[in-house]
Amino acid sequence: MRTSRIAQETAKLSQAISPSKPAIRRQTRSFANSLSAFAAAGSPITTSTSNPEDDDSSSLSSTSSSADIEDYSRLTPSRKRKHGVDSPTTVVSSVSISTRSSPRKRGVKAEDGSTEGRVKPVGKVKRQPAKEVVDDAGEVEIHPPAHWEEVYEAVKEMRKRLLAPVDTMGCERLADEGLSERDQRFQTLIALMLSSQTKDTTTAATMHALQSTLPSPGLTLANILAIDPATLNTLIHAVGFHNNKTRYIKATAEILHARFGDDIPATVAGLMSLPGVGPKMAYLCMSAAWGRTEGIGVDVHVHRITNLWGWHRTKAPEETRLALQAWLPRERWHEINHLLVGFGQTICAPVGRRCGECVLAERGLCPSAVVGAKRVVKGRVKREVGTTEGSEGVKREEGTLAVKEEEVLADGRVVKRGEEVAVKVEA
């Protein structure tokens, strides 16, 4: 039940005239302002006492000759909306001012300059994507991202030490070199069509099945035209979306035979006119099959990693391609796909990035790096107890101690676990 304002003021008056020690008034913002105004006026705070035996000196009817602090409270506007008539003046018997501060938050610097409890951030570069700058002539010039050459060269050095699946099973390496150049171009196109949403290892195995299962000389346009769709679907069932790819491959074979003279198109527009072929496949096929680099083949690895580096803020691979081609030197267009795909397969994986092994994180060149402190966790996981007969009949215990390394973030989350190593110990 809500108490009325008059009842509240009555309770305050009862406490003021009671002989017991009066309660301390709760400090509010308006009360603090009134206290400041009261102190500025130079009037002392007086304590009013009431004599219960003298009705004339009762606090309800008597007035003090000295100024009261409530008189100064009327000088400061109240934040609350006033309802009804003014409440009677309450005499304050004591004033107490307290300053209470909240507990020190973790990570906040203390007054003495200490940084106890603060988590030290990992030094990283800021995201500085490519920028469009208009020169004096009114032409738009694209300035590349900061430190991009240092990042690029560091990734090339890491890739030299790490062998990725794309290095041996990439689509440009799957064509049968014993066939004619036209048949090799066709196999390169088929490999690219199969590679969509599929790992390189699966694509390589499927290409080998087609090359070895189809009649001699293997995977050619003529054999694809002759094969039954159900049989083709069975041969490529391991790749992603194999039902759709079966239809695309059969339709592409018919288009190549009818419109392109049993060869693949020699232009990006012609390749993109084929069913199931997008910009990424078209540019990669032009580079691998025809030896002409007319654009950057941007797949999910290139799109994801370049955004992690802060080179641009794009939402789709095609948008990433246009952003890269605006400033990346043309001589790097062919190699960047192979470079970043292998980097994404070995170090910067989509799930479980190995930032602790990346040179970019070590040098502070990757703004998205997640690196924590390493700790060694030990625990006895197995214990074998045996009795050894000796001259003194001493009982010995042998156990196994498991040691593993964990990489822990600043907030305590474990992002990497090392291998457990069993160490034999004796008690």
Side-chain angles (χ1 to χ4, degrees):
M1 181 175 181
R2 182 176 296 179
T3 306
S4 64
R5 187 180 183 87
I6 298 177
Q8 293 177 359
E9 296 297 335
T10 305
K12 294 179 182 179
L13 291 174
S14 300
Q15 294 177 1
I17 63 177
S18 62
S20 60
K21 184 178 180 180
I24 300 176
R25 181 186 177 97
R26 183 175 63 88
Q27 180 181 345
T28 60
R29 184 178 298 176
S30 60
F31 183 73
N33 296 334
S34 302
L35 182 62
S36 301
F38 185 78
S43 299
I45 301 176
T46 60
T47 302
S48 175
T49 58
S50 59
N51 187 0
E53 297 179 356
D54 189 0
D55 294 338
D56 296 336
S57 62
S58 175
S59 60
L60 292 175
S61 58
S62 62
T63 57
S64 174
S65 59
S66 302
D68 190 84
I69 191 171
E70 293 292 342
D71 297 332
Y72 289 90
S73 65
R74 300 190 185 97
L75 300 177
T76 57
S78 175
R79 284 183 170 269
K80 295 183 179 180
R81 181 179 297 176
K82 296 182 178 180
H83 299 278
V85 296
D86 293 340
S87 301
T89 303
T90 304
V91 179
V92 180
S93 59
S94 63
V95 179
S96 175
I97 302 175
S98 63
T99 57
R100 182 172 60 90
S101 59
S102 60
R104 184 186 304 171
K105 296 182 179 180
R106 183 177 181 181
V108 180
K109 190 173 182 180
E111 296 180 357
D112 56 356
S114 63
T115 56
E116 183 179 359
R118 173 182 294 182
V119 178
K120 185 178 181 181
V122 180
K124 303 177 185 178
V125 294
K126 295 182 179 179
R127 295 179 182 269
Q128 299 180 11
K131 298 180 181 180
E132 295 184 358
V133 180
V134 181
D135 56 13
D136 297 337
E139 297 181 356
V140 178
E141 181 180 359
I142 306 297
H143 287 190
H147 312 289
W148 77 268
E149 289 181 300
E150 188 176 357
V151 171
Y152 198 93
E153 294 301 324
V155 173
K156 290 181 67 175
E157 292 298 323
M158 283 189 287
R159 287 284 282 111
K160 291 179 181 179
R161 303 190 301 267
L162 299 172
L163 183 65
V166 71
D167 296 332
T168 56
M169 292 175 283
C171 294
E172 70 279 2
R173 301 178 181 273
L174 299 180
D176 188 355
E177 297 180 356
L179 300 180
S180 64
E181 292 184 358
R182 184 180 64 179
D183 291 335
Q184 291 184 41
R185 289 193 292 268
F186 177 73
Q187 290 193 5
T188 299
L189 175 62
I190 297 300
L192 286 168
M193 296 178 69
L194 293 175
S195 66
S196 177
Q197 302 293 321
T198 306
K199 294 183 178 181
D200 288 340
T201 53
T202 305
T203 303
T206 304
M207 283 293 296
H208 178 71
L210 291 172
Q211 293 167 346
S212 60
T213 304
L214 294 176
S216 180
L219 179 56
T220 60
L221 178 62
N223 285 333
I224 293 297
L225 288 171
I227 193 173
D228 182 71
T231 304
L232 178 61
N233 192 16
T234 302
L235 291 175
I236 67 170
H237 74 282
V239 302
F241 305 99
H242 55 89
N243 293 325
N244 293 336
K245 292 177 181 179
T246 298
R247 295 195 301 268
Y248 295 157
I249 291 175
K250 289 292 292 184
T252 296
E254 295 176 358
I255 293 174
L256 296 181
H257 177 68
R259 295 173 48 189
F260 294 99
D262 293 339
D263 202 352
I264 68 173
T267 62
V268 173
L271 289 169
M272 291 180 62
S273 67
L274 301 176
V277 178
K280 180 202 75 172
M281 295 183 190
Y283 286 111
L284 290 177
C285 190
M286 285 296 299
S287 179
W290 292 105
R292 300 201 308 266
T293 302
E294 298 185 4
I296 301 175
V298 177
D299 65 348
V300 291
H301 289 290
V302 179
H303 171 68
R304 176 179 57 85
I305 293 174
T306 52
N307 274 276
L308 287 175
W309 290 343
W311 283 5
H312 39 247
R313 296 181 179 91
T314 54
K315 298 181 179 180
E318 182 62 13
E319 187 180 354
T320 301
R321 180 184 68 83
L322 297 175
L324 286 174
Q325 291 180 178
W327 60 267
L328 188 68
R330 194 179 184 89
E331 60 270 15
R332 301 180 188 263
W333 287 10
H334 173 71
E335 66 178 5
I336 188 172
N337 179 272
H338 182 269
L339 182 72
L340 296 190
V341 168
F343 183 66
Q345 291 175 342
T346 55
I347 297 294
C348 195
V351 179
R353 287 181 284 151
R354 300 161 61 182
C355 297
E357 304 175 19
C358 182
V359 176
L360 301 181
E362 180 182 348
R363 299 178 184 177
L365 294 175
C366 180
S368 303
V370 180
V371 181
K374 291 184 178 180
R375 69 181 181 185
V376 177
V377 181
K378 299 182 179 180
R380 190 178 296 274
V381 295
K382 184 179 180 181
R383 190 175 186 181
E384 298 178 358
V385 181
T387 304
T388 304
E389 295 181 0
S391 58
E392 300 180 357
V394 180
K395 186 177 181 180
R396 305 179 63 186
E397 295 181 356
E398 294 184 356
T400 302
L401 187 67
V403 181
K404 62 181 180 179
E405 286 189 356
E406 293 180 348
E407 190 172 345
V408 186
L409 300 181
D411 57 1
R413 291 185 292 117
V414 178
V415 297
K416 179 184 177 184
R417 285 185 171 89
E419 297 293 334
E420 293 190 359
V421 181
V423 181
K424 191 174 183 180
V425 296
E426 296 182 359

